[in-house]
Amino acid sequence: GAGVSQSPSNKVTEKGKDVELRCDPISGHTALYWYRQSLGQGLEFLIYFQGNSAPDKSGLPSDRFSAERTGGSVSTLTIQRTQQEDSAVYLCASSLALTGLGTQYFGPGTRLLVL
Amino acid sequence: SQQGEEDPQALSIQEGENATMNCSYKTSINNLQWYRQNSGRGLVHLILIRSNEREKHSGRLRVTLDTSKKSSSLLITASRAADTASYFCATGANSKLTFGKGITLSVRP
């Protein structure tokens, strides 16, 4: 079946504009994660959705960042009033595991550049 | 911090040689996973080892886990140029996976 997909692949925006990044998880996966990866760095956890439970937002770096997951499937990560330091690759992953500890399947990422 | 730390940060070897990468962590874990990333895009899961396991194999990959030393190693045998990538360990604890900063492996043809 299809893997995790993300759109757009690349996004260039001007400082101060809002952006929306989309993630389509693998069908049937109850868990969905967003990470941020700056150039040459590891993955920074942003937010975790598990089924109908309240999301774990502990990794969101500021209140300019928000995410929602509609119908337990597609998720959108929104960054308001973008700053240059928001430039990074944003990765989405989904998982079947209910514990948050299982194998994660990653999308190809969205490369965001804020000018 | 629960974050795993990989060692070395970068590794360059000749095709055919074995590559050994290490990961250390600080607190108790449920499992430890290794992932590979090509060209800064999505990560691909390689192998998962549970806290009650000591060694696991998958093809040319061998993973060991020493919970007393809080460390794991990933061995890639008979490396190929296609193994060139970044490798990340991820520690599973408290309902969350935490990724390290990764190791850059270069395999020279």
Side-chain angles (χ1 to χ4, degrees), chain B residues 5-6 8 17 20 22 27 36 40 49 58-60 67-68 74-75 78 81 100 106-107:
Chain B
E5 294 184 5
E6 295 97 341
E17 293 179 340
T20 300
N22 303 299
T27 62
R36 184 185 71 214
I49 187 165
S58 177
R60 293 184 296 114
T67 52
S68 66
L74 171 66
L75 169 68
S106 298
V107 181

PDB file of all heavy atoms in Angstrom, chain B residues 5-6 8 17 20 22 27 36 40 49 58-60 67-68 74-75 78 81 100 106-107:
ATOM      1  N   GLU B   5      22.835   9.201  22.121  1.00  0.00           N
ATOM      2  CA  GLU B   5      23.951   9.892  21.493  1.00  0.00           C
ATOM      3  C   GLU B   5      24.755   8.892  20.699  1.00  0.00           C
ATOM      4  O   GLU B   5      25.263   7.904  21.257  1.00  0.00           O
ATOM      5  CB  GLU B   5      24.830  10.565  22.557  1.00  0.00           C
ATOM      6  CG  GLU B   5      24.146  11.688  23.287  1.00  0.00           C
ATOM      7  CD  GLU B   5      25.061  12.391  24.258  1.00  0.00           C
ATOM      8  OE1 GLU B   5      26.264  12.061  24.300  1.00  0.00           O
ATOM      9  OE2 GLU B   5      24.572  13.252  25.000  1.00  0.00           O
ATOM     10  N   GLU B   6      24.907   9.163  19.398  1.00  0.00           N
ATOM     11  CA  GLU B   6      25.617   8.237  18.538  1.00  0.00           C
ATOM     12  C   GLU B   6      27.110   8.567  18.509  1.00  0.00           C
ATOM     13  O   GLU B   6      27.518   9.713  18.679  1.00  0.00           O
ATOM     14  CB  GLU B   6      25.052   8.279  17.101  1.00  0.00           C
ATOM     15  CG  GLU B   6      23.613   7.810  16.974  1.00  0.00           C
ATOM     16  CD  GLU B   6      22.645   8.966  16.960  1.00  0.00           C
ATOM     17  OE1 GLU B   6      23.022  10.063  17.385  1.00  0.00           O
ATOM     18  OE2 GLU B   6      21.498   8.765  16.492  1.00  0.00           O
ATOM     19  N   PRO B   8      30.734   7.075  16.230  1.00  0.00           N
ATOM     20  CA  PRO B   8      31.249   8.434  16.040  1.00  0.00           C
ATOM     21  C   PRO B   8      30.230   9.326  15.328  1.00  0.00           C
ATOM     22  O   PRO B   8      29.174   8.857  14.951  1.00  0.00           O
ATOM     23  CB  PRO B   8      32.468   8.191  15.143  1.00  0.00           C
ATOM     24  CG  PRO B   8      32.064   7.004  14.321  1.00  0.00           C
ATOM     25  CD  PRO B   8      31.252   6.140  15.241  1.00  0.00           C
ATOM     26  N   GLU B  17      34.325  -3.402   3.873  1.00  0.00           N
ATOM     27  CA  GLU B  17      34.660  -3.395   5.300  1.00  0.00           C
ATOM     28  C   GLU B  17      33.374  -3.388   6.131  1.00  0.00           C
ATOM     29  O   GLU B  17      32.286  -3.113   5.634  1.00  0.00           O
ATOM     30  CB  GLU B  17      35.501  -2.161   5.639  1.00  0.00           C
ATOM     31  CG  GLU B  17      36.877  -2.179   5.009  1.00  0.00           C
ATOM     32  CD  GLU B  17      37.673  -0.935   5.354  1.00  0.00           C
ATOM     33  OE1 GLU B  17      37.078   0.087   5.739  1.00  0.00           O
ATOM     34  OE2 GLU B  17      38.915  -0.978   5.231  1.00  0.00           O
ATOM     35  N   THR B  20      30.837  -0.115  12.269  1.00  0.00           N
ATOM     36  CA  THR B  20      30.258  -0.222  13.603  1.00  0.00           C
ATOM     37  C   THR B  20      29.915   1.160  14.125  1.00  0.00           C
ATOM     38  O   THR B  20      30.755   2.057  14.137  1.00  0.00           O
ATOM     39  CB  THR B  20      31.236  -0.894  14.584  1.00  0.00           C
ATOM     40  OG1 THR B  20      31.541  -2.214  14.113  1.00  0.00           O
ATOM     41  CG2 THR B  20      30.603  -1.003  15.970  1.00  0.00           C
ATOM     42  N   ASN B  22      27.815   3.271  17.328  1.00  0.00           N
ATOM     43  CA  ASN B  22      27.408   3.097  18.721  1.00  0.00           C
ATOM     44  C   ASN B  22      26.396   4.149  19.151  1.00  0.00           C
ATOM     45  O   ASN B  22      26.355   5.265  18.603  1.00  0.00           O
ATOM     46  CB  ASN B  22      28.632   3.184  19.632  1.00  0.00           C
ATOM     47  CG  ASN B  22      29.684   2.165  19.264  1.00  0.00           C
ATOM     48  OD1 ASN B  22      29.449   0.966  19.303  1.00  0.00           O
ATOM     49  ND2 ASN B  22      30.862   2.650  18.873  1.00  0.00           N
ATOM     50  N   THR B  27      18.742   6.907  30.471  1.00  0.00           N
ATOM     51  CA  THR B  27      17.750   6.348  31.393  1.00  0.00           C
ATOM     52  C   THR B  27      17.193   5.037  30.861  1.00  0.00           C
ATOM     53  O   THR B  27      17.506   4.629  29.744  1.00  0.00           O
ATOM     54  CB  THR B  27      16.609   7.345  31.616  1.00  0.00           C
ATOM     55  OG1 THR B  27      15.954   7.584  30.379  1.00  0.00           O
ATOM     56  CG2 THR B  27      17.141   8.660  32.156  1.00  0.00           C
ATOM     57  N   ARG B  36      17.714   4.720   9.114  1.00  0.00           N
ATOM     58  CA  ARG B  36      18.642   5.253   8.108  1.00  0.00           C
ATOM     59  C   ARG B  36      17.957   6.389   7.370  1.00  0.00           C
ATOM     60  O   ARG B  36      16.748   6.344   7.119  1.00  0.00           O
ATOM     61  CB  ARG B  36      19.041   4.159   7.109  1.00  0.00           C
ATOM     62  CG  ARG B  36      20.079   4.592   6.071  1.00  0.00           C
ATOM     63  CD  ARG B  36      20.336   3.508   5.060  1.00  0.00           C
ATOM     64  NE  ARG B  36      19.201   3.335   4.181  1.00  0.00           N
ATOM     65  CZ  ARG B  36      18.812   2.170   3.670  1.00  0.00           C
ATOM     66  NH1 ARG B  36      19.478   1.073   3.960  1.00  0.00           N
ATOM     67  NH2 ARG B  36      17.774   2.104   2.879  1.00  0.00           N
ATOM     68  N   GLY B  40      18.828  13.583   3.420  1.00  0.00           N
ATOM     69  CA  GLY B  40      18.044  14.517   4.209  1.00  0.00           C
ATOM     70  C   GLY B  40      16.549  14.379   4.092  1.00  0.00           C
ATOM     71  O   GLY B  40      15.820  15.301   4.433  1.00  0.00           O
ATOM     72  N   ILE B  49      15.157  -3.376  18.751  1.00  0.00           N
ATOM     73  CA  ILE B  49      15.576  -4.353  19.757  1.00  0.00           C
ATOM     74  C   ILE B  49      14.938  -3.979  21.085  1.00  0.00           C
ATOM     75  O   ILE B  49      14.954  -2.802  21.490  1.00  0.00           O
ATOM     76  CB  ILE B  49      17.124  -4.444  19.847  1.00  0.00           C
ATOM     77  CG1 ILE B  49      17.539  -5.590  20.789  1.00  0.00           C
ATOM     78  CG2 ILE B  49      17.765  -3.120  20.244  1.00  0.00           C
ATOM     79  CD1 ILE B  49      19.007  -5.986  20.655  1.00  0.00           C
ATOM     80  N   SER B  58      19.438  -8.794  11.106  1.00  0.00           N
ATOM     81  CA  SER B  58      18.562  -8.609   9.966  1.00  0.00           C
ATOM     82  C   SER B  58      19.446  -8.434   8.744  1.00  0.00           C
ATOM     83  O   SER B  58      20.042  -7.373   8.543  1.00  0.00           O
ATOM     84  CB  SER B  58      17.659  -7.394  10.160  1.00  0.00           C
ATOM     85  OG  SER B  58      16.856  -7.192   9.018  1.00  0.00           O
ATOM     86  N   GLY B  59      19.554  -9.483   7.950  1.00  0.00           N
ATOM     87  CA  GLY B  59      20.428  -9.412   6.772  1.00  0.00           C
ATOM     88  C   GLY B  59      21.860  -9.124   7.172  1.00  0.00           C
ATOM     89  O   GLY B  59      22.446  -9.840   7.986  1.00  0.00           O
ATOM     90  N   ARG B  60      22.427  -8.036   6.644  1.00  0.00           N
ATOM     91  CA  ARG B  60      23.803  -7.653   6.969  1.00  0.00           C
ATOM     92  C   ARG B  60      23.904  -6.807   8.234  1.00  0.00           C
ATOM     93  O   ARG B  60      24.974  -6.323   8.584  1.00  0.00           O
ATOM     94  CB  ARG B  60      24.408  -6.892   5.787  1.00  0.00           C
ATOM     95  CG  ARG B  60      24.614  -7.739   4.530  1.00  0.00           C
ATOM     96  CD  ARG B  60      25.309  -6.951   3.423  1.00  0.00           C
ATOM     97  NE  ARG B  60      24.503  -5.832   2.962  1.00  0.00           N
ATOM     98  CZ  ARG B  60      24.843  -4.550   3.127  1.00  0.00           C
ATOM     99  NH1 ARG B  60      25.968  -4.228   3.762  1.00  0.00           N
ATOM    100  NH2 ARG B  60      24.065  -3.597   2.657  1.00  0.00           N
ATOM    101  N   THR B  67      21.975  -3.196  28.358  1.00  0.00           N
ATOM    102  CA  THR B  67      21.224  -2.280  29.217  1.00  0.00           C
ATOM    103  C   THR B  67      22.011  -1.893  30.469  1.00  0.00           C
ATOM    104  O   THR B  67      21.759  -0.841  31.044  1.00  0.00           O
ATOM    105  CB  THR B  67      19.874  -2.882  29.621  1.00  0.00           C
ATOM    106  OG1 THR B  67      20.089  -4.186  30.163  1.00  0.00           O
ATOM    107  CG2 THR B  67      18.945  -2.985  28.424  1.00  0.00           C
ATOM    108  N   SER B  68      22.959  -2.725  30.870  1.00  0.00           N
ATOM    109  CA  SER B  68      23.763  -2.372  32.053  1.00  0.00           C
ATOM    110  C   SER B  68      24.694  -1.210  31.739  1.00  0.00           C
ATOM    111  O   SER B  68      24.977  -0.377  32.599  1.00  0.00           O
ATOM    112  CB  SER B  68      24.575  -3.579  32.524  1.00  0.00           C
ATOM    113  OG  SER B  68      25.552  -3.942  31.567  1.00  0.00           O
ATOM    114  N   LEU B  74      25.347  -0.855  16.250  1.00  0.00           N
ATOM    115  CA  LEU B  74      24.831  -1.315  14.963  1.00  0.00           C
ATOM    116  C   LEU B  74      26.037  -1.690  14.112  1.00  0.00           C
ATOM    117  O   LEU B  74      26.908  -0.854  13.880  1.00  0.00           O
ATOM    118  CB  LEU B  74      24.025  -0.223  14.274  1.00  0.00           C
ATOM    119  CG  LEU B  74      23.606  -0.506  12.830  1.00  0.00           C
ATOM    120  CD1 LEU B  74      22.615  -1.659  12.757  1.00  0.00           C
ATOM    121  CD2 LEU B  74      23.004   0.741  12.178  1.00  0.00           C
ATOM    122  N   LEU B  75      26.075  -2.922  13.676  1.00  0.00           N
ATOM    123  CA  LEU B  75      27.156  -3.407  12.816  1.00  0.00           C
ATOM    124  C   LEU B  75      26.584  -3.688  11.436  1.00  0.00           C
ATOM    125  O   LEU B  75      25.591  -4.406  11.309  1.00  0.00           O
ATOM    126  CB  LEU B  75      27.768  -4.677  13.395  1.00  0.00           C
ATOM    127  CG  LEU B  75      28.740  -5.447  12.481  1.00  0.00           C
ATOM    128  CD1 LEU B  75      30.012  -4.647  12.254  1.00  0.00           C
ATOM    129  CD2 LEU B  75      29.054  -6.818  13.067  1.00  0.00           C
ATOM    130  N   ALA B  78      30.165  -6.259   5.503  1.00  0.00           N
ATOM    131  CA  ALA B  78      30.401  -6.231   4.055  1.00  0.00           C
ATOM    132  C   ALA B  78      29.727  -5.012   3.424  1.00  0.00           C
ATOM    133  O   ALA B  78      28.859  -5.134   2.558  1.00  0.00           O
ATOM    134  CB  ALA B  78      29.887  -7.515   3.415  1.00  0.00           C
ATOM    135  N   ALA B  81      28.579   0.680  -1.254  1.00  0.00           N
ATOM    136  CA  ALA B  81      28.458   2.126  -1.485  1.00  0.00           C
ATOM    137  C   ALA B  81      27.035   2.612  -1.188  1.00  0.00           C
ATOM    138  O   ALA B  81      26.832   3.725  -0.702  1.00  0.00           O
ATOM    139  CB  ALA B  81      28.857   2.455  -2.921  1.00  0.00           C
ATOM    140  N   GLY B 100      18.597  10.456  18.262  1.00  0.00           N
ATOM    141  CA  GLY B 100      19.881  11.108  18.408  1.00  0.00           C
ATOM    142  C   GLY B 100      20.177  11.996  17.215  1.00  0.00           C
ATOM    143  O   GLY B 100      19.328  12.173  16.329  1.00  0.00           O
ATOM    144  N   SER B 106      30.042   7.085   5.282  1.00  0.00           N
ATOM    145  CA  SER B 106      30.432   7.149   3.872  1.00  0.00           C
ATOM    146  C   SER B 106      31.164   5.867   3.533  1.00  0.00           C
ATOM    147  O   SER B 106      32.142   5.510   4.200  1.00  0.00           O
ATOM    148  CB  SER B 106      31.354   8.344   3.616  1.00  0.00           C
ATOM    149  OG  SER B 106      30.703   9.556   3.896  1.00  0.00           O
ATOM    150  N   VAL B 107      30.692   5.187   2.501  1.00  0.00           N
ATOM    151  CA  VAL B 107      31.339   3.955   2.055  1.00  0.00           C
ATOM    152  C   VAL B 107      31.957   4.241   0.701  1.00  0.00           C
ATOM    153  O   VAL B 107      31.257   4.512  -0.280  1.00  0.00           O
ATOM    154  CB  VAL B 107      30.331   2.799   1.953  1.00  0.00           C
ATOM    155  CG1 VAL B 107      31.043   1.524   1.508  1.00  0.00           C
ATOM    156  CG2 VAL B 107      29.630   2.582   3.291  1.00  0.00           C
TER     157      VAL B 107
END
